[in-house]
Amino acid sequence: MQQSSFRRWTMLSAVLAVSAVTTLQTGVAQAAEAPVDVQLLSITDLHGYLTPQNDAANGTVKDAQGNSIVVGGAPYIATHLKNLRQGHKNSITFTTGDDFSGWPTEVAYHQDEPTIEFLNAIGVGFAAVGNHELDRSLEFLRDHMGKGSCFGEIDVDSCFTDSTGRRFRGADYTISSANITRKGSTKPIFQPYVIKQVKVTGGRNVRIGFINLTTPTTVTGSTSYQPGLDNLPLVETANRYAAELKRRGVEAIVANVHEGGTAGDAYDRCGTPSGPVFDFAEQASPDIDAIITGHWHALFNDCVIPDPAGNPRPVVEAANHGRLINEMNLKIDPRTGDVIRSATTTVNHPVTRDVTPDPAMTRLVDYWKTRAARTAARPVGRISGDITRARAADGESSLGNLIADAQYADAVRTAGGPVDLALVATAPLKGSNSLRGDLRFAKGADPADGDGTVLFGEAWAAYGYANPVITASVTGQQLEQALEQQWRTQPDGTVRFSPLAVSAGVRYSYDASRPVGDRVDPADVLVDGTPLDTGRTYRVAALAYTLIGADGFDALTAFTDPVRGSRDYDAFRTYLQSKDTIAPPALDRVTAAL
């Protein structure tokens, strides 16, 4: 072989050898760089349902075959979470909003603090703000629930001693929403997203961004009505923060959206998807790899909706009241940090009661139920006679009049200006009735009760469903129209009467023999002794539910300049506590013409 040929052969052999080594090293590196497994565990719309429920709506789910499964309860949620986490190095637990502001009295009596205790105990890392998180106020959510600040008398009004013997300290986790702002601002009040890091072999980290979003119906919703806040639109906000996360080098992105949809009634499949969250899924940035939702109390799994780039993207919802836990398993490419979407799996796990209940959470539930009985027995006022929902022929009731006076007093205390009158829908044309029970003079079964004593639990049961008192401006013409709307002709030709109670400074008469829509003469409506002026603006106190038309009185929906006051429960209790003894209000505010 010639020398030059030998040199060329030698050089080629060296290149091939180096190439072989490089190929081997690359193969070893690729084998070492296996996808990173990340488990996401979430619940939604818990609403403080810590106590296991035994009714079908709150204590069961149905599978694809229509079989009912008994589910729910804090002790079982805790056990299932512990079991699901086994074998997972990277597991993240969070909620999709409406954690509290619910209806179980053991939680609601205590400012929803028991729910925070539970969520802290099960290791929640962050929570999206749902609409019901704002049923009180921004400050209540941010400062009390988030930071543990106290108000009123400690261990009576707030900052209760919890089941471990410690005083309430607020959430250990991040409360997040990208699209709740102050009125007129585009800057979110809460942290817009949460970044979590998971370990990769070799000590490096992969980051996952969770954009948390709140339904745009929040600031005008009946219980969450917040005139000082704004909701930014979901898609634009999600896209903005997806782009920001990308600029920060975060490739794996999940949208945790408190905005619902429906896809059938089986927890373990996807039927026919519809609703706003699916519209969101079709439009939101392709950089978002998965969507976890809530709000509609729906249950569906493994809905796959193409993103705007045509790539499949999962959308899931895990019912409500602790009935399901959603498990989403992501595989993340450690080289790019992005989700391998084709490998994503999702499962809705029923919170069955065939496991051993967590002992600490069982103690928590028992503690707050016992405490609720003590709270319910606390005296909050006195009455000199029965105050009931029983209606006279003209539609008045003593309880309706009392509630109107309580709402008026709350508006005077909170609205920061003059208040002309209060209105209460005592028999709504539609929706819920806030008058739910009577106050009796005779003592009840509770040993703490006595003749004329109103206990905390009795006041709570008589009136309210966590709706705020709103003071707003309406015209005299709108008021007259609302009074006319007390009568509605039904499809069968009959006329339904749905009376409005008025506060003490109002007197009016009506003529039921006249046609529907022409039964009230403005001259016969006296506000502080002066006939109603249809061209004047009045400041009216009413529940948000009534003002937004949910009670059926749509004449009031054009109100302006709203100011939020107290929740109905709190306004009523404050009024009772402000009086030595309350006599049943006289039924002299409304007169039916003979």
Side-chain angles (χ1 to χ4, degrees):
M1 180 181 293
Q2 294 182 352
Q3 188 175 3
S4 60
S5 298
F6 178 77
R7 282 200 302 269
R8 286 196 299 271
W9 180 84
T10 302
M11 292 173 62
L12 179 60
S13 298
V15 169
L16 292 172
V18 170
S19 177
V21 171
T22 302
T23 300
L24 178 61
Q25 290 174 338
T26 301
V28 171
Q30 287 177 338
E33 294 283 282
V36 182
D37 291 317
V38 181
Q39 180 193 54
L40 308 182
L41 298 173
S42 63
I43 57 175
T44 188
D45 295 88
L46 179 62
H47 286 293
Y49 276 77
L50 307 183
T51 301
Q53 305 294 304
N54 295 317
D55 60 303
N58 299 304
T60 66
V61 293
K62 289 184 178 180
D63 62 16
Q65 289 72 46
N67 301 311
S68 290
I69 304 169
V70 176
V71 293
Y76 301 100
I77 295 172
T79 296
H80 279 283
L81 285 172
K82 180 180 178 181
N83 293 343
L84 287 168
R85 290 172 183 144
Q86 290 181 4
H88 291 270
K89 294 181 179 179
N90 300 311
S91 184
I92 301 169
T93 301
F94 56 95
T95 81
T96 312
D98 280 6
D99 297 325
F100 44 83
S101 196
W103 299 273
T105 54
E106 62 271 21
V107 170
Y109 283 178
H110 304 111
Q111 310 293 2
D112 298 292
E113 293 177 15
T115 304
I116 296 290
E117 181 189 354
F118 169 66
L119 296 178
N120 285 342
I122 62 173
V124 165
F126 61 91
V129 173
N131 52 299
H132 283 288
E133 266 77 11
L134 286 163
D135 279 358
R136 300 291 291 271
S137 67
L138 166 64
E139 292 73 23
F140 180 84
L141 173 60
R142 183 191 61 199
D143 301 331
H144 178 64
M145 306 310 279
K147 301 176 183 177
S149 62
C150 304
F151 57 89
E153 184 179 348
I154 291 175
D155 210 35
V156 173
D157 299 307
S158 74
C159 290
F160 298 94
T161 301
D162 70 17
S163 68
T164 70
R166 295 189 296 176
R167 197 178 84 181
F168 178 72
R169 64 185 187 277
D172 292 340
Y173 53 87
T174 301
I175 297 173
S176 172
S177 174
N179 65 319
I180 296 290
T181 70
R182 294 192 184 277
K183 199 75 172 178
S185 173
T186 59
K187 180 181 179 180
I189 295 167
F190 299 95
Q191 185 173 316
Y193 53 77
V194 173
I195 298 175
K196 293 292 185 180
Q197 300 190 82
V198 296
K199 293 289 186 182
V200 181
T201 302
R204 292 182 293 112
N205 292 325
V206 166
R207 295 184 295 168
I208 308 170
F210 296 86
I211 303 169
N212 300 289
L213 296 160
T214 307
T215 172
T217 62
T218 297
V219 299
T220 56
S222 67
T223 58
S224 56
Y225 194 90
Q226 296 288 345
L229 302 181
D230 265 344
N231 266 136
L232 300 181
L234 293 179
V235 173
E236 290 88 339
T237 305
N239 292 354
R240 170 187 173 185
Y241 288 109
E244 182 173 312
L245 286 165
K246 291 276 287 187
R247 288 195 299 272
R248 295 185 61 178
V250 179
E251 297 291 335
I253 301 174
V254 175
N256 187 35
V257 191
H258 192 78
E259 177 61 289
T262 182
D265 59 0
Y267 73 86
D268 51 357
R269 66 178 178 181
C270 180
T272 303
S274 64
V277 77
F278 293 106
D279 298 333
F280 171 84
E282 291 174 351
Q283 301 170 43
S285 168
D287 293 329
I288 296 170
D289 298 295
I291 298 169
I292 297 170
T293 190
H295 186 47
W296 278 27
H297 296 191
L299 57 173
F300 53 83
N301 181 61
D302 207 26
C303 287
V304 178
I305 307 297
D307 67 22
N311 298 316
R313 179 162 58 188
V315 184
V316 298
E317 184 168 354
N320 62 314
H321 299 174
R323 294 187 292 155
L324 298 174
I325 298 168
N326 181 260
E327 178 185 16
M328 180 176 288
N329 288 291
L330 306 179
K331 288 188 181 293
I332 299 177
D333 186 328
R335 296 168 301 165
T336 65
D338 206 353
V339 173
I340 305 169
R341 287 201 199 175
S342 61
T344 299
T345 61
T346 67
V347 183
N348 272 338
H349 296 281
V351 179
T352 58
R353 299 182 197 169
D354 56 357
V355 297
T356 302
D358 182 271
M361 295 305 97
T362 299
R363 288 192 297 272
L364 181 148
V365 169
D366 291 343
Y367 171 84
W368 287 111
K369 289 177 70 175
T370 300
R371 177 103 196 211
R374 296 206 313 267
T375 300
R378 193 172 81 230
V380 295
R382 290 195 57 79
I383 56 176
S384 61
D386 289 347
I387 302 177
T388 73
R389 295 163 293 172
R391 299 205 314 251
D394 58 18
E396 278 190 279
S397 68
S398 54
L399 183 62
N401 286 358
L402 176 64
I403 297 305
D405 293 344
Q407 288 185 184
Y408 181 87
D410 186 77
V412 169
R413 184 169 54 86
T414 62
V419 181
D420 294 297
L421 71 155
L423 294 174
V424 176
T426 61
L429 293 158
K430 61 180 182 179
S432 302
N433 193 339
S434 60
L435 275 65
R436 298 183 291 111
D438 302 324
L439 296 178
R440 298 291 181 181
F441 176 81
K443 67 179 180 180
D446 195 304
D449 204 0
D451 290 347
T453 298
V454 179
L455 302 180
F456 184 104
E458 292 173 328
W460 190 281
Y463 169 64
Y465 47 84
N467 216 251
V469 177
I470 304 294
T471 305
S473 294
V474 299
T475 66
Q477 183 178 17
Q478 291 163 347
L479 278 173
E480 190 270 336
Q481 290 173 345
L483 292 174
E484 294 284 9
Q485 287 182 342
Q486 294 176 102
W487 297 271
R488 295 289 179 90
T489 302
Q490 303 300 297
D492 63 1
T494 61
V495 175
R496 176 179 171 180
F497 181 36
S498 301
L500 287 167
V502 294
S503 51
V506 181
R507 299 288 185 275
Y508 75 92
S509 63
Y510 64 85
D511 186 348
S513 68
R514 294 186 59 79
V516 170
D518 188 27
R519 294 184 168 187
V520 179
D521 185 338
D524 295 330
V525 180
L526 303 180
V527 180
D528 288 332
T530 303
L532 185 71
D533 182 348
T534 57
R536 181 194 151 185
T537 296
Y538 293 83
R539 294 292 284 172
V540 177
L543 294 184
Y545 201 76
T546 300
L547 287 174
I548 67 175
D551 280 337
F553 295 92
D554 56 19
L556 300 172
T557 57
F559 66 89
T560 59
D561 303 317
V563 176
R564 179 177 169 129
S566 306
R567 289 188 313 167
D568 44 21
Y569 295 124
D570 305 320
F572 187 40
R573 194 166 60 252
T574 297
Y575 187 74
L576 292 172
Q577 291 171 328
S578 71
K579 309 291 184 181
D580 289 333
T581 301
I582 295 175
L587 304 183
D588 60 357
R589 303 177 189 182
V590 181
T591 302
L594 299 176

